């Protein structure tokens, strides 16, 4: 069977679309960004507990007092985790995606129900949309719209649309044909048959589709977080990549609270808008007695509206009297940035985390407003090439990340090396006495379960290992390289060391693991890994023009192995979620370093 190069055809199509329809994608990006930003501004503007109160009033109106109390408690729990802003960003993404999906899905479902040919055509398309791995949608999304909420929004819309279309079609097809015929017999026009007979009777099924659309949209938040959409998805993704159990539990519970709230509210809304649902609710209310009557009491629409408006006015008044926030003051002679925002990107490698948060502290003390975002290497380099990010500090050249430099070439600016040389290696615990070099791994796959624990598949180190190192030592048929993440690899290494089990992992120098664990670098007598690399800072194409002062500082930036190791150790000691504070403490412990890294005249 000849090789079908579908992947290369898809890449060609994406390149053509970027070249010829860039203006259209820019317009779509502007519209969707404006819609998302507007909803996020409304949800994020009030104080957390006031917004929780507004959402609780909505729950009271739809489901009763008990639901309102539980809703407020769950939302207050999110605030206690310190994840309120992230939750509102996620809720904004879900609401915007669901709105756009339903505006498209319901008419398509109606059309499919009334036209068999349309139904047959849509069915395979919907199958592909629903079964295609959602991660795949992020690739063209990032290419067309760069990082941010829009790729996640597009992926969410595509992934969540099929149940909306199918449930709408199913609901209309299930309407009793005799009722439709009776309406026709009385001379009802086709459009009135749809709006006065079919849609009202199909409403419970359609609302079930609405519920499924919202739930699927919420399930996409983690995937959207991988593309820089922010919100709870980014928190979950960061916890997963850094093996942060506490952060994962908290952000996961926050997603659960939002999911339960949206699920219960859409279910109750279905009963509110459906005639059958209203009759069932009225019957249940008449049969209730005692405490059940109080818990199920629901205010009228006017009363609920008054409650929401009052809370919104209180929130607005607090915002007006709250001042402009607590910005850190910067001495006049050191306020070089004058509040300008600079976007710093990093992926979860220890030296990347250390250098990025070090520079976040330095730039804040020089009057800039650094916006720090974690991404995978692929999306981060794409964002730099498209000008959506400004700079990142962990480009390993000329091997690990050279593929990205070659791909984007004149769209990136190499700001120079700040550390080197490094080394790539495979490592084993020191108690593996009979394994000292890569050659010693030959014939010992059984001890290691036939696998080498690796890091992110997108890392150049992984390509070098699979394409060169294993072949050079005849290990390519004996070992399988398992892709994971840096944090997962370290967690597996820690687990094996505690149990004194054989394990071989990818690693590199410098790395704090060599100072924490008793490890052994496997020698490379054939030089398959090549020479050591240097760690470079890489900016967008016009970085030096847009930020000339920062560019000059970064070009003179250097760190010794001692300083980098101590900074990484301080960040490890500080714990997850406190990287900025830990880097700030380390910086304070080195007087004069800020002036050395970012000198200013006078």
């Amino acid at each position: 069977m000849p090789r079908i190069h579908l992947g290369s055809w898809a890449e060609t199509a994406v390149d053509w679309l970027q070249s010829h329809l860039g203006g259209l994608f820019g317009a779509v990006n502007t519209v969707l960004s404006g819609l998302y930003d507007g909803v996020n501004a409304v949800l994020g503007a009030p104080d957390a507990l006031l917004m929780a109160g507004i959402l609780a009033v909505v729950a009271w109106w739809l489901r009763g007092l008990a639901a309102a109390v539980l809703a407020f408690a769950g939302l207050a729990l999110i605030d206690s985790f310190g994840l309120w802003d992230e939750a509102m960003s996620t809720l904004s993404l879900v609401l915007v995606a669901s709105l756009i999906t339903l505006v498209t899905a319901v008419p398509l479902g109606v059309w499919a129900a009334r036209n068999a040919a349309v139904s047959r055509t849509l069915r395979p398309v919907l199958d592909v949309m629903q079964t295609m791995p959602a991660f795949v949608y992020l690739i063209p999304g990032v290419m067309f719209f760069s990082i941010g909420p829009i790729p996640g929004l597009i992926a969410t819309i595509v992934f969540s649309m099929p149940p909306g279309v199918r449930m709408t079609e199913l609901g209309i097809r299930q309407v009793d044909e005799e009722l439709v015929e009776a309406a026709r017999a009385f001379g009802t026009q086709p459009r009135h048959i749809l709006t006065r007979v079919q849609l009202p009777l199909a409403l419970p099924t359609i609302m079930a589709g609405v519920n499924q659309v919202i739930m699927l949209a919420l399930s996409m938040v983690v995937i959207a977080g991988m593309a820089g959409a922010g919100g709870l998805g980014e928190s979950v993704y960061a916890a997963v990549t850094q093996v942060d159990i506490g952060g994962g539990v908290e952000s996961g519970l926050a997603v659960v609270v939002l999911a339960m709230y949206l699920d219960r509210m859409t279910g109750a809304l279905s009963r509110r808008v459906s005639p059958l649902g209203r009759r069932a609710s009225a019957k249940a209310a008449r049969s209730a007695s005692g405490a059940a009557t109080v818990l199920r009491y629901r205010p009228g629409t006017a009363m609920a509206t008054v409650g929401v408006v009052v809370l919104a006015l209180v929130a607005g008044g607090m915002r007006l009297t709250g001042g402009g926030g607590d910005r850190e003051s910067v001495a006049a002679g050191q306020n070089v940035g004058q509040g300008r925002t600079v976007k710093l990107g990093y992926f979860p490698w220890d030296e990347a985390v250390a250098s990025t948060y070090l520079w976040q502290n330095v730039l804040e003390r020089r009057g800039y407003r650094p916006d720090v975002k974690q991404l995978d290497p692929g999306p981060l380099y794409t964002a730099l090439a498209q000008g959506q990010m400004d700079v990142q500090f962990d480009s390993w050249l000329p091997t690990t990340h050279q593929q990205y430099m070659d791909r984007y070439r004149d769209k990136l600016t190499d700001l120079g090396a700040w550390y080197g040389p490094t080394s790539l290696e495979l490592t084993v615990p020191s108690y593996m006495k009979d394994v000292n070099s890569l050659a010693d791994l030959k014939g010992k796959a059984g001890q290691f379960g036939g696998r080498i624990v690796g890091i992110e598949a997108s890392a150049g180190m992984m390509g070098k290992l699979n394409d060169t190192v294993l072949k050079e030592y005849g290990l390519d048929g004996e070992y399988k390289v398992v892709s994971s993440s840096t944090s997962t690899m370290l967690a597996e290494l820690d687990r094996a060391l505690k149990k004194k089990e054989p394990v071989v992992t990818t690693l590199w120098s410098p790395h704090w693991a060599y100072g924490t664990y008793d490890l052994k670098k496997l020698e490379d007598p054939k030089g398959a890994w090549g020479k050591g690399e240097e760690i470079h800072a890489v900016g967008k194409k016009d970085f030096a023009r847009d930020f000339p002062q920062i560019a000059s500082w970064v070009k003179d930036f250097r760190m010794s192995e001692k300083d980098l190791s101590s900074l990484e150790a301080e960040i490890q000691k500080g714990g997850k979620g406190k990287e900025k504070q830990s880097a700030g403490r380390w910086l304070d412990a080195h007087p004069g370093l800020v002036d050395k890294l970012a000198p200013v005249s006078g």
Side-chain angles (χ1 to χ4, degrees):
M1 185 70 182
R3 172 76 164 87
I4 299 176
H5 298 281
L6 182 61
S8 61
W9 298 343
E11 290 183 6
T12 302
V14 169
D15 291 339
W16 186 89
L17 290 171
Q18 281 184 300
S19 301
H20 294 80
L21 298 178
L24 175 62
F25 292 128
V28 172
N29 192 15
T30 300
V31 172
L32 294 181
S33 296
L35 187 58
Y36 169 80
D37 292 339
V39 174
N40 192 32
V42 171
L43 294 178
D47 179 78
L49 293 182
L50 280 174
M51 190 66 215
I54 291 173
L55 295 175
V57 169
V58 174
W60 188 20
W61 173 62
L62 288 173
R63 286 186 63 91
L65 184 60
V69 173
L70 291 174
F72 185 84
L75 295 168
L77 182 66
I78 294 177
D79 184 42
S80 72
F81 292 156
L83 294 172
W84 183 260
D85 291 337
E86 291 81 356
M88 292 301 100
S89 297
T90 295
L91 184 58
S92 301
L93 183 69
V94 171
L95 292 178
V96 171
S98 299
L99 174 63
I100 296 173
T101 300
L102 292 173
V103 166
T104 308
V106 172
L108 283 176
V110 172
W111 191 16
R114 297 166 70 90
N115 190 312
V118 173
S119 179
R120 288 193 300 270
T121 303
L122 282 179
R123 193 174 297 119
V125 176
L126 296 176
D127 289 341
V128 173
M129 292 169 65
Q130 196 163 14
T131 56
M132 180 73 74
F135 293 95
V136 176
Y137 297 130
L138 289 182
I139 301 173
V142 170
M143 296 301 295
F144 294 143
F145 304 106
S146 189
I147 61 168
I150 306 307
L153 192 62
I154 297 295
T156 301
I157 292 170
V158 175
F159 185 72
S160 61
M161 187 176 294
V165 177
R166 285 180 165 138
M167 296 297 280
T168 301
E169 180 184 0
L170 177 64
I172 293 178
R173 288 187 183 277
Q174 285 181 335
V175 174
D176 193 340
E177 190 62 29
E178 292 183 1
L179 295 175
V180 177
E181 289 297 331
R184 289 198 187 101
F186 281 98
T188 307
Q189 296 180 2
R191 69 174 182 274
H192 290 155
I193 291 176
L194 174 64
T195 58
R196 298 178 182 178
V197 178
Q198 290 176 311
L199 284 178
L201 293 174
L203 198 56
T205 305
I206 294 174
M207 289 303 297
V210 172
N211 179 274
Q212 289 301 302
V213 166
I214 293 175
M215 291 298 101
L216 285 175
L218 190 57
S219 73
M220 288 288 291
V221 297
V222 176
I223 297 174
M226 295 179 65
L232 293 173
E234 184 173 330
S235 300
V236 173
Y237 175 55
V240 170
T241 56
Q242 299 173 24
V243 196
D244 181 6
I245 297 175
V249 169
E250 291 178 352
S251 52
L253 278 176
V255 173
V256 170
V257 170
L258 282 185
M260 293 179 66
Y261 180 85
L262 291 172
D263 177 66
R264 303 304 189 269
M265 294 309 106
T266 52
L269 183 62
S270 173
R271 292 191 293 273
R272 271 280 191 180
V273 299
S274 168
L276 294 175
R278 287 197 295 270
R279 284 199 293 270
S281 297
K283 183 178 180 180
R286 287 193 298 270
S287 63
S289 61
T293 304
V294 176
L295 293 176
R296 291 183 179 179
Y297 170 72
R298 296 181 302 172
T301 303
M303 183 184 297
T305 303
V306 169
V308 170
V309 170
V310 168
L311 289 174
L313 290 174
V314 171
M318 292 178 62
R319 188 170 180 84
L320 287 174
T321 59
D326 44 344
R327 292 273 305 277
E328 182 179 346
S329 60
V330 181
Q334 300 176 353
N335 190 12
V336 180
Q338 298 181 344
R340 291 187 63 193
T341 298
V342 54
K343 299 177 182 178
L344 313 181
Y346 74 97
F347 30 89
W349 293 8
D350 294 284
E351 70 284 345
V353 173
S355 56
T356 302
Y357 283 100
L358 171 66
W359 274 100
Q360 182 186 23
N361 279 276
V362 171
L363 292 175
E364 281 188 352
R365 299 181 190 192
R366 289 294 182 257
Y368 289 93
R369 299 179 63 187
D371 179 14
V372 177
K373 189 177 293 292
Q374 176 185 319
L375 296 165
D376 265 1
L380 178 52
Y381 277 95
T382 301
L384 286 169
Q386 295 180 350
Q388 301 299 314
M389 296 297 290
D390 293 317
V391 65
Q392 66 99 355
F393 294 94
D394 199 35
S395 186
W396 286 52
L397 299 173
T399 302
T400 305
H401 294 132
Q402 189 61 43
Q403 56 178 317
Y404 300 110
M405 302 300 289
D406 292 339
R407 179 183 303 174
Y408 295 114
R409 299 187 185 182
D410 57 346
K411 295 181 180 179
L412 300 174
T413 300
D414 187 349
L415 298 170
W418 59 269
Y419 182 92
T422 65
S423 64
L424 305 177
E425 57 255 354
L426 294 183
T427 188
V428 298
S430 293
Y431 52 74
M432 300 295 298
K433 301 297 184 183
D434 57 341
V435 180
N436 298 297
S437 73
L438 292 171
D440 293 335
L441 291 173
K442 185 72 174 176
K444 294 185 175 67
Q447 295 184 42
F448 298 99
R451 65 174 190 164
I452 297 171
V453 182
I455 54 173
E456 292 82 0
S458 57
M461 179 184 190
M462 295 289 282
K464 185 78 170 179
L465 176 60
N466 283 298
D467 298 339
T468 304
V469 177
L470 296 186
K471 293 179 179 179
E472 186 69 28
Y473 287 92
L475 305 174
D476 50 335
E478 187 177 356
Y479 289 85
K480 178 183 178 182
V481 179
V482 180
S483 301
S484 59
S485 66
T486 303
S487 54
T488 304
M489 176 271 292
L490 291 170
E492 177 65 16
L493 179 62
D494 181 76
R495 186 197 65 81
L497 286 164
K498 287 177 179 176
K499 294 185 177 182
K500 292 214 167 186
E501 294 178 349
V503 65
V504 56
T505 70
T506 55
L507 208 57
W508 54 91
S509 300
H511 198 284
W512 59 265
Y514 286 116
T516 305
Y517 305 118
D518 191 8
L519 301 174
K520 180 167 46 177
K521 299 178 184 180
L522 295 186
E523 297 176 2
D524 179 20
K526 296 183 180 181
W529 281 113
K531 296 181 180 179
E533 297 186 89
E534 292 184 324
I535 304 178
H536 291 237
V538 172
K540 63 180 183 180
K541 179 181 179 181
D542 298 325
F543 182 75
R545 184 197 67 187
D546 295 343
F547 300 97
Q549 185 64 78
I550 300 178
S552 67
W553 292 337
V554 173
K555 287 178 180 178
D556 294 332
F557 173 44
R558 301 290 184 275
M559 284 197 84
S560 66
E561 182 172 0
K562 178 182 177 182
D563 286 342
L564 181 56
S565 298
S566 66
L567 174 57
E568 289 180 351
E570 182 66 33
I571 290 176
Q572 288 291 318
K573 179 182 175 183
K576 305 298 183 183
K578 298 181 179 179
E579 293 84 357
K580 179 187 174 184
Q581 296 91 324
S582 300
R585 282 196 306 271
W586 184 87
L587 199 58
D588 292 335
H590 293 74
L593 184 57
V594 174
D595 292 329
K596 180 180 178 181
L597 294 176
V600 292
S601 59

